[in-house]
Amino acid sequence: MNLIEIKNLDVLYKTGYRGISALKNVNANIKSGEYVCIIGNNGTGKSSLIKSILGLVSVSSGNIKLKCNKNEISYIPQFNTIPLDFPATVHELVLSGTQKSNMGLPFYTKEDKASTEKAVRETGLKGLEKRRFCELSGGQQQRVLLARALCKKPRILILDEPCSGLDEKTTADFYELLLHLNTQHGTTIIMISHDLINVEKYATRIIKLDKAILFDGSVSEWIKKRNDGEPI
């Protein structure tokens, strides 16, 4: 079942009287349960693609059709866009991920609190609930952001370079956690990454962008093309 259908997508950013093309004629469907990694050099449209899916940038032409509710999508932006000195505790930040579910009411429901406790357990943050976010290591902070995203019980989890700046062990642990969410919970994952070693290890599908799609296929197809020396 397709959860996202992208057809003839163009994204053009206007700078003064000029237009800069970010994406051109992109066509792709994302199926339920897939683990998709989007790769490519800087400036090739990766962030523009996921922000188009999220409705954060305007589409110049073409269309994106979501086959799920927008509230069923969670997004973790690039780590360097997060205010790391935020004074809230782990519990407060994770709990805030349920705010859309309580529709702006000035209290949290029992279900919200249960979702928070579950997300804390699943991301290995048990015992850290009272610690302030700014006191945590980079890996722990990234887990807090993931736990917060999971409070929405998303069908789709979108991540923009989630392991940038993390050490090798922390990165491996984070990828294992994402794999668990994908294989055991059926969460559809769409992730931007420059880490080809882990992309090939964990993803089920690779999309390579350079404004247009250069490659879209399974990891095994990607590896075969690379090993055969074919341009991709």
Side-chain angles (χ1 to χ4, degrees):
M1 172 188 174
N2 291 336
L3 288 181
I4 302 171
E5 295 179 354
I6 303 168
K7 186 174 182 180
N8 303 328
L9 177 66
D10 287 359
V11 172
L12 187 71
Y13 295 116
K14 291 185 178 179
T15 305
Y17 295 104
R18 298 178 57 198
I20 299 175
S21 177
L23 293 170
K24 188 171 182 179
N25 196 33
V26 171
N27 291 274
N29 296 327
I30 307 296
K31 294 181 172 59
S32 178
E34 285 194 297
Y35 187 151
V36 182
C37 278
I38 303 171
I39 65 172
N41 295 329
N42 292 332
T44 53
K46 302 184 301 299
S47 292
S48 293
L49 178 57
I50 63 172
K51 287 179 179 178
S52 298
I53 293 171
L54 293 162
L56 299 176
V57 300
S58 299
V59 172
S60 302
S61 63
N63 63 79
I64 299 174
K65 187 178 294 184
L66 299 179
K67 298 297 188 72
C68 64
N69 193 296
K70 282 190 174 182
N71 285 339
E72 295 179 298
I73 303 176
S74 283
Y75 171 51
I76 301 179
Q78 289 188 19
F79 202 40
N80 58 15
T81 66
I82 308 297
L84 301 183
D85 59 348
F86 200 70
T89 66
V90 169
H91 176 78
E92 290 167 342
L93 266 176
V94 177
L95 182 61
S96 70
T98 67
Q99 284 180 347
K100 286 188 177 180
S101 67
N102 62 35
M103 296 179 290
L105 297 175
F107 59 85
Y108 292 100
T109 66
K110 288 183 179 179
E111 183 179 353
D112 293 334
K113 293 173 182 177
S115 295
T116 297
E117 291 178 9
K118 182 180 179 183
V120 164
R121 288 196 309 271
E122 288 182 336
T123 52
L125 294 169
K126 195 69 179 171
L128 298 176
E129 294 94 330
K130 295 182 180 180
R131 293 277 301 278
R132 294 191 180 277
F133 184 73
C134 56
E135 299 172 345
L136 303 178
S137 68
Q140 289 170 333
Q141 288 177 336
Q142 196 65 292
R143 284 174 177 264
V144 172
L145 299 178
L146 178 59
R148 185 180 186 276
L150 294 181
C151 277
K152 289 173 63 176
K153 302 176 183 177
R155 293 180 68 184
I156 303 173
L157 178 62
I158 299 178
L159 309 99
D160 193 346
E161 298 188 49
C163 297
S164 178
L166 301 183
D167 62 54
E168 186 176 344
K169 173 66 166 59
T170 304
T171 296
D173 290 344
F174 194 81
Y175 273 107
E176 287 291 338
L177 182 53
L178 293 179
L179 182 65
H180 174 79
L181 293 172
N182 177 247
T183 58
Q184 302 303 313
H185 294 263
T187 306
T188 302
I189 294 175
I190 304 171
M191 179 172 64
I192 291 175
S193 179
H194 289 285
D195 184 357
L196 275 177
I197 292 175
N198 281 311
V199 166
E200 293 179 0
K201 182 177 179 180
Y202 291 100
T204 58
R205 176 180 168 193
I206 293 174
I207 295 175
K208 183 175 182 179
L209 280 178
D210 189 358
K211 299 184 179 180
I213 291 180
L214 301 181
F215 175 89
D216 183 358
S218 68
V219 171
S220 59
E221 291 171 332
W222 167 269
I223 292 173
K224 184 178 185 305
K225 280 181 174 289
R226 185 199 62 201
N227 291 342
D228 290 345
E230 294 185 37
I232 47 178

